[in-house]
Amino acid sequence: MSGLAPNGGLNLPGPGKRARFTGSMRLLRHADFERVYKQGRRHFAAHMTVFYLLRGQGEGLRIGFTVGRVLGGAVDRNRMKRRLRESVRLHWPGVRVPVDVVINPKKSVLKVDFAVLENEISGAFEAIQKSLGKRTT
């Protein structure tokens, strides 16, 4: 697999450019994470739990990852985040609805095959779109 992926829903200049996580695509503030946890909905998968919440304003998806110390040392936690970021980058949905997503991985994210991780991320995005489709229409 090369490091390049199609521009899945991202407006990047030029063909075959690598999709990047900009500040506007990420959840950065603690208050945003708390709001998603307390007011949002959940989607359960075998290797992660995905929380999501429709925002009142803004455009597009914002995503954050929560990897606590209970999941391992810094090396393991950073590896989990890198694997999750890459799978999200490859399957970034073209969602124009303003939604915040927080992904909480389980320890098994370290050992599971990357294709399985990609399938779970893709399935989570499909479930979110289906759920939001019901609420926005």
Side-chain angles (χ1 to χ4, degrees):
M1 174 190 266
S2 73
L4 301 176
N7 300 338
L10 299 176
N11 294 324
L12 299 174
K17 293 286 184 182
R18 227 179 122 101
R20 301 199 68 145
F21 284 107
T22 62
S24 63
M25 300 162 78
R26 299 185 324 194
L27 283 179
L28 300 172
R29 295 183 356 188
H30 178 73
D32 292 335
F33 281 86
E34 287 297 317
R35 187 173 36 78
V36 173
Y37 286 135
K38 290 181 178 167
Q39 299 173 12
R41 299 180 53 114
R42 289 179 294 222
H43 170 76
F44 296 101
H47 303 287
M48 68 189 74
T49 303
V50 180
F51 297 84
Y52 59 97
L53 177 65
L54 191 63
R55 286 192 320 271
Q57 59 189 17
E59 183 178 309
L61 184 85
R62 292 192 312 172
I63 194 154
F65 304 99
T66 305
V67 185
R69 286 186 185 172
V70 71
L71 294 176
V75 172
D76 290 338
R77 294 194 316 266
N78 289 333
R79 184 174 294 133
M80 284 183 208
K81 287 186 276 189
R82 282 194 306 270
R83 293 189 79 189
L84 288 168
R85 259 195 312 268
E86 180 65 8
S87 62
V88 167
R89 186 186 70 80
L90 292 173
H91 295 282
W92 191 270
V95 177
R96 297 288 178 228
V97 178
V99 62
D100 289 343
V101 177
V102 176
I103 298 177
N104 280 2
K106 296 179 182 171
K107 186 124 176 131
S108 60
V109 165
L110 282 175
K111 305 281 189 226
V112 70
D113 189 42
F114 190 72
V116 173
L117 189 61
E118 285 183 290
N119 286 338
E120 283 195 15
I121 291 288
S122 180
F125 283 149
E126 288 173 13
I128 290 169
Q129 286 180 323
K130 184 185 278 187
S131 174
L132 293 177
K134 292 176 187 174
R135 295 176 135 204
T136 57
T137 56

